[in-house]
Amino acid sequence: FILLSVGLIYVEYTTREIKTTLNFEQQYNAIKKNATTGDIILRSGTGFWSDRFRAANTHDKRFSHVGIIKIIDGEFHVLHASGNQVTGSGVVSIVTLENFIAASKDAGLVRLKTFSPEIFLQNAEAYINTPFDWEFDKNDDSKIYCTELIYWSLKKIDPNFSFEEVDGFILPEACLDPNYFEEIKIDF
């Protein structure tokens, strides 16, 4: 298992290179300057699973996790699904932007092109406290992983909505699909 994991992590990044670790304050301020409620925030985490998710992306290897921006009384928050690999616990929750990007090497933003951000966010909020989906089964929304939260929240708006999948799994790069999202350029 360890050799397999090491082999999966050792992947040449052919389409995009990950930036060096950015200053936390630079990321935070740039996101606050550019984000609006309903935007999708993508991050490049620093942990074991982050490396695996980035490596599994087939087109764009910058990001390993996604969430949804929600501005509450001028404060920036992120709605996302995350699991603790040690305890096996996890839920859909809302955290501060600071918490979300604390262990991030890079971050990005995308904006919905055709869907209502208000309805999208409302759909996503209905999943708060839904358990994390350790089986990564996108066909069942009784448990949710990060990109699955985006998928189901959009599918409730348009039942015909679909994401590109890799082996049945929706990877973070799906949130960069130019058919549905506009990437917001952020200057760090």
Side-chain angles (χ1 to χ4, degrees), residues 2-61:
I2 292 173
L3 289 176
L4 176 62
S5 297
V6 170
L8 289 173
I9 293 171
Y10 182 72
V11 172
E12 183 178 332
Y13 295 109
T14 57
T15 56
R16 302 236 186 177
E17 290 188 24
I18 297 172
K19 296 178 185 177
T20 57
T21 302
L22 296 170
N23 175 290
F24 172 85
E25 189 122 350
Q26 288 174 305
Q27 284 189 74
Y28 180 75
N29 289 333
I31 291 165
K32 282 182 63 174
K33 178 181 173 187
N34 292 283
T36 63
T37 291
D39 284 351
I40 297 170
I41 182 169
L42 302 97
R43 76 174 183 205
S44 179
T46 58
F48 171 76
W49 287 106
S50 297
D51 289 339
R52 291 189 70 183
F53 290 129
R54 269 193 308 275
N57 285 324
T58 59
H59 306 293
D60 190 317
K61 300 194 180 276

